Amino acid sequence: MVTALLYFFQEKMLFLPTVLEQDYTYHFSYPFEELFFQTETNAVINAIHFKIEQPKGVVLFFHGNAGDLSRWGVLAEYFVEKQYDVLIMDYRTYGKSKGKLSEEALYHDGQCCYNYIKGLYDEEDITIYGRSLGTGIATYLASKNKPKQLILETPYYSILDVAESRFSLLPVKALLKYKLLSYQFIQKTDCPILMLHGTSDDVVPYASAEKLYEASPKDRTTFVTFPEGTHHNLSAFDAYHSHMEMVLK
């Protein structure tokens, strides 16, 4: 019974979107443009593009598994404060975005957003930032393109690894439709990588991030540990901001 529930309800466990009306008006503290990308037939991706005068570069931000752009856009403004433009999208079924959700769709839509900003900025000025669920998408894109750098907040070895740690008595590998094999992608990434993870993370185990670091190219990877840091509070640590200052200078 538990096995069947895991298989049929895994998307509801992994993805926790909130839906916005199509006429919803976003309110942020910095100038922005609202965008809609028709990435496939019957798929439309809603995104926010923060734009400032004379930016140092652009951050392509992939958010976590809950909420929508009305929340994540506010958090992304942190990078605007650092004098960066930001593009952040909502995954299919999130916010105003529409379409059938799948692992392949996440990668496809992410690449569409990357292609959009590559048409506006030099690729050497693109920083890819992933948080939680978004770290797998961010790492995939870094492996397929040539961004300036990759920043991963609370990353995982794979979604499969996280699921196996949570459901250790079930045949998760055979049941899970979403794998997000970050450890494979990171080995093909050429840019500098910054990984940030707390030891008390009860969503993505710290051990999963350690395994990802072991798989990463050590000469280009910095792994920052936050003692007692959780899944949601890394930005409360001074070390988080000092490392952001270094990579976003």
Side-chain angles (χ1 to χ4, degrees):
M1 179 65 175
V2 176
T3 300
L5 288 173
L6 176 61
Y7 180 78
F8 289 109
F9 292 98
Q10 59 184 273
E11 285 191 346
K12 292 187 180 297
M13 298 168 66
L14 180 58
F15 302 104
L16 303 172
T18 51
V19 177
L20 298 174
E21 296 294 332
Q22 293 298 307
D23 60 355
Y24 178 86
T25 301
Y26 293 110
H27 297 282
F28 300 114
S29 300
Y30 294 93
F32 68 92
E33 179 183 6
E34 183 178 3
L35 302 170
F36 291 89
F37 300 112
Q38 176 114 29
T39 61
E40 274 183 358
T41 303
N42 300 321
V44 178
I45 298 304
N46 185 218
I48 296 296
H49 188 185
F50 291 99
K51 298 178 181 180
I52 60 172
E53 293 186 10
Q54 299 182 324
K56 297 178 181 178
V58 61
V59 175
L60 178 57
F61 189 109
F62 294 98
H63 65 64
N65 73 328
D68 59 63
L69 286 181
S70 64
R71 170 200 173 199
W72 288 106
V74 173
L75 296 177
E77 288 183 303
Y78 174 83
F79 301 101
V80 186
E81 294 169 3
K82 301 293 183 187
Q83 297 301 302
Y84 277 77
D85 287 354
V86 180
L87 182 73
I88 178 171
M89 76 171 197
D90 254 342
Y91 313 128
R92 300 184 192 191
T93 73
Y94 285 70
K96 300 183 187 181
S97 294
K98 297 180 177 181
K100 182 175 175 54
L101 194 59
S102 70
E103 183 170 352
E104 292 70 25
L106 292 170
Y107 302 147
H108 176 80
D109 297 344
Q111 185 63 55
C112 285
C113 289
Y114 191 94
N115 292 343
Y116 173 78
I117 60 171
K118 193 168 69 169
L120 300 174
Y121 306 84
D122 292 336
E123 199 167 12
E124 62 189 19
D125 293 328
I126 299 174
T127 293
I128 303 179
Y129 191 104
R131 191 195 186 288
S132 190
L133 172 66
T135 60
I137 306 163
T139 307
Y140 171 84
L141 289 175
S143 75
K144 298 293 185 181
N145 300 279
K146 301 291 183 183
K148 176 183 178 181
Q149 60 189 341
L150 172 65
I151 305 175
L152 303 174
E153 181 183 351
T154 62
Y156 44 79
Y157 185 73
S158 67
I159 286 294
L160 177 62
D161 182 62
V162 175
E164 286 178 332
S165 70
R166 186 168 298 182
F167 304 103
S168 58
L169 299 180
L170 297 177
V172 172
K173 188 173 184 178
L175 297 171
L176 200 63
K177 293 183 286 185
Y178 293 83
K179 305 293 196 298
L180 284 92
L181 304 177
S182 296
Y183 70 93
Q184 291 186 1
F185 308 145
I186 208 163
Q187 294 170 20
K188 301 174 184 177
T189 299
D190 295 327
C191 65
I193 303 165
L194 174 63
M195 297 171 55
L196 311 153
H197 212 100
T199 60
S200 296
D201 193 319
D202 59 358
V203 178
V204 176
Y206 178 73
S208 191
E210 284 187 307
K211 287 171 64 177
L212 182 63
Y213 174 63
E214 288 306 314
S216 68
K218 298 297 186 303
D219 60 329
R220 296 190 300 280
T221 306
T222 301
F223 182 40
V224 183
T225 295
F226 295 79
E228 305 305 318
T230 70
H231 194 68
H232 303 289
N233 72 349
L234 299 192
S235 62
F237 289 80
D238 290 341
Y240 176 90
H241 301 286
S242 63
H243 279 88
M244 288 299 107
E245 290 288 345
M246 284 190 287
V247 299
L248 298 175
K249 60 187 177 183

